[in-house]
Amino acid sequence: MHKARETLHEFMHAQIADRKVEARSGAPPRNDVFSILVRANEEDGGKYPLDDTELVSRFPFNRSCMR
């Protein structure tokens, strides 16, 4: 179970990095909740940005993997 959780977190962090690049490049936004959250976090002007671990923790699958 630990390896599965680790693999999932690595995948999610890679997805965050990809979406940050897209947001910064001005590419058309993807139409999914995860992309919207990352883009909003990038475009908020830095008021209270979430770090990558906080972004990953916003999704329900993360809680079930942590048990």
Side-chain angles (χ1 to χ4, degrees), residues 16-30 35 39:
I16 289 169
D18 288 347
R19 282 163 175 82
K20 283 182 177 182
V21 168
E22 289 175 7
R24 292 173 185 160
S25 73
R30 296 184 194 200
S35 296
R39 189 173 287 268

Side-chain angles (χ1 to χ4, degrees), residues 8-61:
L8 179 60
H9 279 255
E10 288 172 5
F11 173 79
M12 293 306 295
H13 284 275
Q15 292 300 306
I16 289 169
D18 288 347
R19 282 163 175 82
K20 283 182 177 182
V21 168
E22 289 175 7
R24 292 173 185 160
S25 73
R30 296 184 194 200
N31 192 22
D32 61 83
V33 174
F34 187 66
S35 296
I36 292 167
L37 179 62
V38 172
R39 189 173 287 268
N41 194 57
E42 288 294 294
E43 295 176 349
D44 190 27
K47 188 172 182 179
Y48 298 107
L50 301 173
D51 64 31
D52 292 356
T53 300
E54 291 171 321
L55 285 170
V56 171
S57 72
R58 297 296 182 244
F59 290 87
F61 69 80

